[in-house]
mmCIF file of all heavy atoms in Angstrom:
data_model
loop_
_atom_site.group_PDB
_atom_site.id
_atom_site.type_symbol
_atom_site.label_atom_id
_atom_site.label_comp_id
_atom_site.label_asym_id
_atom_site.label_seq_id
_atom_site.Cartn_x
_atom_site.Cartn_y
_atom_site.Cartn_z
ATOM 1 N N ASP A 295 38.744 34.828 32.903
ATOM 2 C CA ASP A 295 39.339 33.843 33.832
ATOM 3 C C ASP A 295 39.601 32.501 33.167
ATOM 4 O O ASP A 295 39.986 31.547 33.868
ATOM 5 C CB ASP A 295 38.404 33.638 35.028
ATOM 6 C CG ASP A 295 38.240 34.899 35.841
ATOM 7 O OD1 ASP A 295 39.122 35.774 35.759
ATOM 8 O OD2 ASP A 295 37.222 35.008 36.561
ATOM 9 N N ARG A 296 39.323 32.393 31.861
ATOM 10 C CA ARG A 296 39.520 31.143 31.122
ATOM 11 C C ARG A 296 38.731 29.994 31.738
ATOM 12 O O ARG A 296 39.194 28.861 31.819
ATOM 13 C CB ARG A 296 41.003 30.795 31.055
ATOM 14 C CG ARG A 296 41.828 31.846 30.327
ATOM 15 C CD ARG A 296 43.297 31.651 30.555
ATOM 16 N NE ARG A 296 43.746 30.393 30.009
ATOM 17 C CZ ARG A 296 44.944 29.867 30.253
ATOM 18 N NH1 ARG A 296 45.786 30.520 31.043
ATOM 19 N NH2 ARG A 296 45.294 28.724 29.719
ATOM 20 N N ASP A 297 37.524 30.340 32.178
ATOM 21 C CA ASP A 297 36.614 29.319 32.706
ATOM 22 C C ASP A 297 35.885 28.682 31.525
ATOM 23 O O ASP A 297 34.722 28.986 31.233
ATOM 24 C CB ASP A 297 35.627 29.967 33.678
ATOM 25 C CG ASP A 297 34.947 28.933 34.557
ATOM 26 O OD1 ASP A 297 35.088 27.727 34.268
ATOM 27 O OD2 ASP A 297 34.289 29.326 35.528
ATOM 28 N N LEU A 298 36.570 27.774 30.838
ATOM 29 C CA LEU A 298 36.089 27.280 29.545
ATOM 30 C C LEU A 298 34.794 26.479 29.611
ATOM 31 O O LEU A 298 33.995 26.555 28.676
ATOM 32 C CB LEU A 298 37.188 26.458 28.880
ATOM 33 C CG LEU A 298 38.453 27.260 28.545
ATOM 34 C CD1 LEU A 298 39.495 26.371 27.908
ATOM 35 C CD2 LEU A 298 38.113 28.416 27.624
ATOM 36 N N PRO A 299 34.518 25.697 30.658
ATOM 37 C CA PRO A 299 33.207 25.019 30.685
ATOM 38 C C PRO A 299 32.039 26.000 30.645
ATOM 39 O O PRO A 299 31.022 25.721 30.008
ATOM 40 C CB PRO A 299 33.256 24.240 32.004
ATOM 41 C CG PRO A 299 34.707 23.972 32.224
ATOM 42 C CD PRO A 299 35.408 25.199 31.725
ATOM 43 N N VAL A 300 32.177 27.149 31.294
ATOM 44 C CA VAL A 300 31.097 28.144 31.248
ATOM 45 C C VAL A 300 30.983 28.723 29.837
ATOM 46 O O VAL A 300 29.875 28.905 29.320
ATOM 47 C CB VAL A 300 31.354 29.264 32.276
ATOM 48 C CG1 VAL A 300 30.299 30.365 32.149
ATOM 49 C CG2 VAL A 300 31.337 28.691 33.688
ATOM 50 N N VAL A 301 32.130 29.020 29.208
ATOM 51 C CA VAL A 301 32.108 29.533 27.838
ATOM 52 C C VAL A 301 31.452 28.515 26.898
ATOM 53 O O VAL A 301 30.608 28.876 26.055
ATOM 54 C CB VAL A 301 33.536 29.856 27.364
ATOM 55 C CG1 VAL A 301 33.520 30.330 25.910
ATOM 56 C CG2 VAL A 301 34.165 30.925 28.250
ATOM 57 N N ALA A 302 31.813 27.250 27.062
ATOM 58 C CA ALA A 302 31.210 26.209 26.221
ATOM 59 C C ALA A 302 29.714 26.096 26.478
ATOM 60 O O ALA A 302 28.921 25.888 25.545
ATOM 61 C CB ALA A 302 31.896 24.871 26.489
ATOM 62 N N GLY A 303 29.296 26.238 27.729
ATOM 63 C CA GLY A 303 27.865 26.192 28.049
ATOM 64 C C GLY A 303 27.104 27.327 27.393
ATOM 65 O O GLY A 303 25.987 27.135 26.902
ATOM 66 N N VAL A 304 27.697 28.514 27.377
ATOM 67 C CA VAL A 304 27.046 29.663 26.729
ATOM 68 C C VAL A 304 26.946 29.426 25.218
ATOM 69 O O VAL A 304 25.938 29.789 24.592
ATOM 70 C CB VAL A 304 27.817 30.955 27.040
ATOM 71 C CG1 VAL A 304 27.261 32.125 26.242
ATOM 72 C CG2 VAL A 304 27.748 31.263 28.527
ATOM 73 N N ILE A 305 27.976 28.822 24.629
ATOM 74 C CA ILE A 305 27.915 28.507 23.197
ATOM 75 C C ILE A 305 26.757 27.546 22.908
ATOM 76 O O ILE A 305 25.989 27.733 21.952
ATOM 77 C CB ILE A 305 29.248 27.886 22.731
ATOM 78 C CG1 ILE A 305 30.371 28.938 22.796
ATOM 79 C CG2 ILE A 305 29.127 27.342 21.313
ATOM 80 C CD1 ILE A 305 31.740 28.376 22.480
ATOM 81 N N MET A 306 26.602 26.529 23.738
ATOM 82 C CA MET A 306 25.505 25.580 23.532
ATOM 83 C C MET A 306 24.150 26.251 23.727
ATOM 84 O O MET A 306 23.198 25.996 22.980
ATOM 85 C CB MET A 306 25.653 24.399 24.502
ATOM 86 C CG MET A 306 26.770 23.442 24.155
ATOM 87 S SD MET A 306 26.614 22.774 22.476
ATOM 88 C CE MET A 306 24.977 22.038 22.536
ATOM 89 N N LEU A 307 24.059 27.121 24.726
ATOM 90 C CA LEU A 307 22.799 27.841 24.940
ATOM 91 C C LEU A 307 22.462 28.707 23.732
ATOM 92 O O LEU A 307 21.297 28.753 23.288
ATOM 93 C CB LEU A 307 22.912 28.709 26.193
ATOM 94 C CG LEU A 307 21.706 29.610 26.470
ATOM 95 C CD1 LEU A 307 20.474 28.782 26.766
ATOM 96 C CD2 LEU A 307 22.001 30.570 27.631
ATOM 97 N N SER A 308 23.468 29.393 23.186
ATOM 98 C CA SER A 308 23.234 30.224 21.999
ATOM 99 C C SER A 308 22.756 29.387 20.825
ATOM 100 O O SER A 308 21.878 29.810 20.064
ATOM 101 C CB SER A 308 24.525 30.966 21.632
ATOM 102 O OG SER A 308 24.963 31.786 22.696
ATOM 103 N N ALA A 309 23.333 28.183 20.671
ATOM 104 C CA ALA A 309 22.905 27.306 19.574
ATOM 105 C C ALA A 309 21.453 26.875 19.744
ATOM 106 O O ALA A 309 20.679 26.846 18.774
ATOM 107 C CB ALA A 309 23.827 26.080 19.506
#
Side-chain angles (χ1 to χ4, degrees):
D295 296 338
R296 298 166 64 191
D297 197 349
L298 297 179
V300 175
V301 177
V304 173
I305 292 175
M306 287 304 303
L307 175 65
S308 301

